[in-house]
Amino acid sequence: MSSTEISRHQFPDHFTWGVATSSFQIEGAHNSDGKGPSIWDTFCAIEGKIADASNGHRACEHYTRWPEDVDLICQLGVKAYRFSMSWPRVQPDGQGAWNEAGFAFYDRVIHALTERGIELHLTLNHWDLPQALQDQGGWANRDLCEHFTRYASEVARRFGSRLASICTHNEPWVIAILGYEQGIFAPGIESRPQAMQAVHHLLLSHGMALQAMRSLGCTTPMGIVLNLSPIYPASDDPKDVAKARLDDGLILRWYMDPLYRGEYPQDVWAHLGTDAPVVLPGDLDTIAQHHDFLGVNYYTRNFSSSGNPWDVASTGNQVTDMGWEVYPQGLTELLCRLHTDYQPERLWVTENGAAFKDDLVAGVVNDSARLAYIRDHIAATHAALVQGVPVGAYFAWSLLDNFEWASGYAKRFGLVHVDFETQKRTLKNSALWYQQFLRETSRGSD
Ligand code: IFM
C-alpha cells in the first residue's frame, strides 16, 4: 500500500474523526440578539486590513442556517465537531452580564448535534475577543486572565457535562504575534513587548481556567490548541542552523516548555532581552497544569534563513493558495517530536486542511488537490501512530468555506463549498472522499 492509500481500518476503532470551524469565521449575525462587538468586527472596519475589504457580518450565516450545517456534519459521517463559542455573543463586554440569547444559540446547536450522536469539542477563544476588553489593553493586560477564567467557568458550569472536550485558546502564537507584534491580525498592534506579554497572559489564563473549571467539578477533558510546524534551516550554513533553532524556540518551545515543563526556554528568554514578559512568582506552576490533551494545528513546514531570501518554490513541492508548501511528512515528524520531547497524554490533530481555488461546475467541485492533501495528511497521521505516538483524533479544517481572517473570503478551506451570495452549500469532492473514507465498514469495503 503506498503512502497515499489509506484506510480508516488502519486506525484504532476509538480514533475520533471530525471537522472543525470557528465562531467568527462562520456565524455572521455580528450584532444580533445582544451580541457585543469583537476585536475582529473592529479590525475589519479598518481600511486595508482585510484583502477583499470584507467582514464577518454575514459570513456563512451559520447563526440562522445552523440546522442545515448540522445536517451537513451528520451527512459527512464524522464522529465529532470542533467549534468555538463567541465570547462577545455570550458576554457582550467580556466582564459583565451574561447574554442568555447567546447561550441559547449554543445550547440549540449542542442539543441538535448530541441528539444525532456527534460529540462536541468546544474552543473558548478562537480569537474573537470582546472589544470592550481590548479597550482595556487586550491580552497584554493581566486582568484579562481573571475575566477569561470567569467566562470559562460559566461555560463549564452550563455546558461542561455535554462536551467531549474544552479547549481554552486556539493558536496563542497567532493571537499574540500576528495580532500584537506584526499587526496583521486583530487587534493590529505592532509591539514585541506587548506580544510577549500577551503570550504569557494567554498561557496563564489557560492554566487559571483549567484550575477553575476543575474546581467546579467539571471532568470534561481540557487542553489547549497550538499551531506548530517543524522548522528547517534553509541551508547548512551555521547561521541558518542557529536561526532555525531560535525560530523553533519562538514558535514551539516558547509554548510547549511552559505548558509541559513549567519553564520558558532560556535561549529564547536571553534573545528577547527587554522584550521578555513580566512573569510573577507562581505563574509557571499555574501554566503547567495537567493537560488532558494537546491539540495540534498543522498546515505546512517552515524554513529559517539568517539573511538569504528563501523561496518556497525551491522545495519543488506543491504550494497551496495560501502560499504554504504541501508537506505531509512534516506532520509525522512534528507528532513524533512532541511525543518524544514532551509526552502529552493525548495528542489530537485539531486542524488540517488546505486552501485551493475551486470551480463549482454543474453542482460539482472537483477539488482533487484538497482531496489529496487531506488523504496524505491522514496517512501522515497514521505514520505517527505506527511509530507509537498516541494520536487520538483528526479534525479536517474546515467544514465550510468561510471568512479566512485577513484574506477575507477569497481563500477557501472548506470541504463544503459556500456560495457567499446565495449561501448555498455544496459538498466538494474532498467531502465526498472523506465521507466514503469514514463509511468503510470492513476491510472488504476498502
Ligand atoms: O482559518 C484558520 C483557523 O482559524 C486557525 N487555523 C488556521 C486556519 C487556516 O488559516
Side-chain angles (χ1 to χ4, degrees):
M1 183 175 275
S2 83
S3 67
T4 53
E5 288 173 26
I6 187 77
S7 151
R8 188 168 71 86
H9 298 293
Q10 294 169 271
F11 290 80
D13 286 345
H14 58 262
F15 194 89
T16 298
W17 297 101
V19 281
T21 63
S22 90
S23 47
F24 191 85
Q25 292 179 273
I26 64 167
E27 286 179 4
H30 71 295
N31 59 4
S32 301
D33 299 337
K35 178 185 170 291
S38 82
I39 56 172
W40 274 92
D41 290 310
T42 309
F43 191 69
C44 290
I46 304 172
E47 204 182 321
K49 293 294 187 190
I50 310 298
D52 57 6
S54 63
N55 54 44
H57 291 190
R58 284 184 69 195
C60 304
E61 295 185 355
H62 174 75
Y63 188 72
T64 48
R65 295 176 184 269
W66 63 267
E68 190 184 346
D69 296 336
V70 164
D71 286 346
L72 286 170
I73 294 165
C74 297
Q75 224 179 308
L76 285 176
V78 292
K79 172 175 159 191
Y81 177 51
R82 174 173 180 251
F83 70 116
S84 77
M85 185 172 282
S86 159
W87 186 354
R89 192 177 293 293
V90 299
Q91 192 181 30
D93 65 2
Q95 55 186 316
W98 304 112
N99 179 28
E100 293 303 330
F103 279 128
F105 164 67
Y106 295 107
D107 179 63
R108 288 193 287 276
V109 174
I110 291 170
H111 177 76
L113 282 161
T114 306
E115 287 266 282
R116 295 175 70 174
I118 306 287
E119 62 182 47
L120 281 308
H121 295 260
L122 174 75
T123 299
L124 292 164
N125 171 27
H126 198 125
W127 310 353
D128 40 359
L129 183 75
Q131 179 60 39
L133 294 182
Q134 191 59 48
D135 297 341
Q136 300 173 18
W139 289 108
N141 177 353
R142 192 176 170 102
D143 291 349
L144 257 74
C145 299
E146 294 289 348
H147 300 318
F148 180 74
T149 301
R150 271 195 293 276
Y151 160 54
S153 302
E154 185 66 16
V155 175
R157 194 181 67 71
R158 290 180 184 242
F159 297 107
S161 61
R162 298 160 68 189
L163 299 170
S165 77
I166 301 176
C167 157
T168 52
H169 302 295
N170 182 73
E171 303 183 354
W173 181 90
V174 172
I175 298 173
I177 305 303
L178 301 192
Y180 291 75
E181 181 175 343
Q182 299 181 12
I184 55 173
F185 273 20
I189 292 166
E190 293 179 50
S191 156
R192 186 172 239 199
Q194 281 198 49
M196 298 319 291
Q197 199 60 60
V199 173
H200 181 64
H201 292 154
L202 285 158
L203 296 177
L204 179 62
S205 62
H206 158 78
M208 288 168 61
L210 258 51
Q211 278 179 331
M213 292 190 287
R214 287 181 178 141
S215 74
L216 290 171
C218 180
T219 55
T220 306
M222 296 171 196
I224 191 165
V225 167
L226 305 179
N227 56 300
L228 299 174
S229 66
I231 299 190
Y232 301 86
S235 76
D236 292 339
D237 184 331
K239 287 194 198 130
D240 287 352
V241 174
K243 179 72 167 49
R245 173 78 188 152
L246 175 63
D247 287 345
D248 177 70
L250 283 162
I251 293 170
L252 188 147
R253 290 181 287 119
W254 191 258
Y255 301 82
M256 289 300 294
D257 283 15
L259 287 164
Y260 282 89
R261 296 180 181 162
E263 61 190 21
Y264 281 114
Q266 280 309 313
D267 60 326
V268 183
W269 189 275
H271 162 80
L272 288 173
T274 54
D275 293 342
V278 174
V279 176
L280 300 187
D283 284 2
L284 284 156
D285 290 340
T286 304
I287 292 170
Q289 290 301 306
H290 173 74
H291 317 284
D292 298 307
F293 69 89
L294 172 71
V296 175
N297 293 353
Y298 176 83
Y299 290 88
T300 188
R301 65 172 166 176
N302 285 110
F303 284 88
S304 290
S305 154
S306 59
N308 301 327
W310 182 85
D311 183 2
V312 66
S314 65
T315 67
N317 288 329
Q318 189 182 26
V319 172
T320 71
D321 202 23
M322 299 295 281
W324 300 344
E325 182 196 5
V326 177
Y327 192 68
Q329 301 95 303
L331 177 56
T332 314
E333 277 177 40
L334 175 66
L335 295 170
C336 290
R337 187 241 177 131
L338 292 170
H339 176 57
T340 304
D341 289 0
Y342 299 98
Q343 266 126 30
E345 185 178 308
R346 281 176 250 183
L347 257 174
W348 296 343
V349 178
T350 35
E351 282 183 30
N352 176 245
F356 286 108
K357 295 213 183 315
D358 291 321
D359 291 315
L360 175 62
V361 181
V364 174
V365 180
N366 186 10
D367 58 337
S368 51
R370 184 178 296 99
L371 185 161
Y373 181 101
I374 291 188
R375 182 196 59 206
D376 293 351
H377 284 78
I378 289 176
T381 305
H382 180 256
L385 256 178
V386 168
Q387 292 178 55
V389 182
V391 200
Y394 176 93
F395 291 85
W397 183 269
S398 177
L399 172 67
L400 302 168
D401 289 335
N402 59 46
F403 177 77
E404 179 52 27
W405 308 111
S407 304
Y409 293 95
K411 307 291 183 199
R412 293 176 176 269
F413 276 89
L415 295 180
V416 176
H417 180 273
V418 177
D419 178 325
F420 292 108
E421 287 305 313
T422 62
Q423 291 293 338
K424 182 170 165 41
R425 275 89 159 127
T426 306
L427 267 66
K428 302 180 191 176
N429 283 0
S430 55
L432 300 174
W433 177 86
Y434 197 34
Q435 186 184 50
Q436 188 55 39
F437 171 82
L438 295 173
R439 259 190 205 150
E440 293 168 355
T441 50
S442 71
R443 290 204 171 270
S445 66
D446 287 4

